[in-house]
Amino acid sequence: MTFDVWWLSYLVLGGFVGFFAGLLGVGGGGMMVPVLTSLFVAQGMPKDNVVHVALGTSMAAIVLTSLSSLRAHHSHGAVRWDVVRYIAPGVIVGTFLATFIASRLPTKPLAIFFACFMAYVSLQMLANIKPKPSRELPGPVGMSAVGAGIGGVSALVAIGGGSLSVPFMTWCNVKVHHAIGTSAAIGLPIALAGTAGYLINGFGHTDVPPYSIGYIYLPALVLVSLVSTVVAPFGARLAHQLPVATLKKIFAGVLMVLCAKMLHAIFF
């Protein structure tokens, strides 16, 4: 394997992904997928599966990012392990099965779904919409059902689930810092199940880039993970010191721009 100048962009991407993963409790897929898709198209990779490769690579990269973020939040006592225990089975099943759906969708509809979901996430951040804590967490069956829904959507857009799990836990009277830390823990089973699914579904495809295993492009995976794992703990430490609300709005604006760039790269 020879060095490619494009790989430098993966190092930069890893820095941004790790920072926001630690700071906001997100897996970083919302940023990785549009950037990787645009980079892959610019490098001349076939468009037929370019979004699938971006999704699979992003999900695999989230494994180490989530693990690093999880350890940092756990050290601050911000993880509700009772929530993780009940929601994880549904998360794993929902995420794994949804990769089979994503793998059978054509590139353009998949890209449109991703962009629409990220537009929803961005608007939610810009408007600072927070559900009122008006109920308690459901029982084990209810938690598994919620987990399956969170995992399913997360697999289709390669996120760690924070944009769904944090509002849900806040709605259920979980303190916001605990919700962010717990979402980092939930992101790990999502990433593991999603990685396995995209790995399996990508086998046998000949129109994936060299150095790929299934839908996972190894150079991007290694370089993004390398940097994001180092940076994520710094983001987690700064979560209690920086104006997170302001940074969320900046992050939301960046997401919308990246998604627009991704759609332009695919459709034009």
Side-chain angles (χ1 to χ4, degrees):
M1 184 183 294
T2 56
F3 180 79
D4 190 321
V5 68
W6 286 99
W7 295 359
L8 293 174
S9 59
Y10 304 145
L11 293 172
V12 176
L13 176 59
F16 283 104
V17 167
F19 177 74
F20 283 107
L23 184 71
L24 305 179
V26 298
M31 180 178 288
M32 276 191 283
V33 172
V35 172
L36 287 178
T37 299
S38 298
L39 289 174
F40 292 164
V41 172
Q43 292 173 65
M45 294 183 185
K47 289 186 178 182
D48 290 344
N49 283 317
V50 69
V51 175
H52 300 85
V53 176
L55 288 170
T57 304
S58 298
M59 193 61 88
I62 290 172
V63 173
L64 290 179
T65 305
S66 294
L67 182 59
S68 179
S69 181
L70 160 62
R71 291 178 61 187
H73 283 287
H74 175 67
S75 69
H76 287 90
V79 178
R80 285 277 304 270
W81 289 107
D82 56 324
V83 174
V84 177
R85 182 170 65 252
Y86 288 125
I87 205 170
V91 158
I92 292 170
V93 173
T95 303
F96 184 73
L97 293 179
T99 62
F100 288 80
I101 297 173
S103 298
R104 284 156 181 76
L105 287 174
T107 292
K108 291 182 178 180
L110 192 57
I112 291 172
F113 177 82
F114 177 89
C116 289
F117 181 80
M118 286 303 150
Y120 156 75
V121 171
S122 299
L123 291 173
Q124 187 182 50
M125 288 184 178
L126 289 171
N128 197 27
I129 299 173
K130 297 179 180 178
K132 295 182 179 180
S134 56
R135 57 159 297 158
E136 298 300 318
L137 289 165
V141 175
M143 289 291 285
S144 290
V146 170
I150 291 174
V153 174
S154 298
L156 291 173
V157 293
I159 60 174
S163 57
L164 299 172
S165 57
V166 170
F168 167 71
M169 285 184 279
T170 303
W171 180 46
C172 294
N173 275 288
V174 176
K175 294 180 180 179
V176 64
H177 287 307
H178 286 162
I180 292 174
T182 305
S183 77
I186 294 171
L188 183 58
I190 287 176
L192 290 171
T195 298
Y198 282 113
L199 192 67
I200 292 170
N201 282 284
F203 274 123
H205 284 277
T206 57
D207 52 354
V208 295
Y211 315 127
S212 295
I213 300 178
Y215 282 133
I216 299 171
Y217 181 52
L218 294 179
L221 167 62
V222 172
L223 296 175
V224 169
S225 298
L226 181 67
V227 179
S228 64
T229 303
V230 174
V231 175
F234 293 100
R237 294 191 193 102
L238 292 173
H240 305 282
Q241 303 172 27
L242 295 179
V244 175
T246 301
L247 289 171
K248 276 188 176 181
K249 292 179 180 179
I250 296 173
F251 183 68
V254 172
L255 279 184
M256 296 182 78
V257 171
L258 292 177
C259 287
K261 178 67 174 67
M262 177 186 73
L263 292 176
H264 182 272
I266 290 174
F267 282 87
F268 301 99

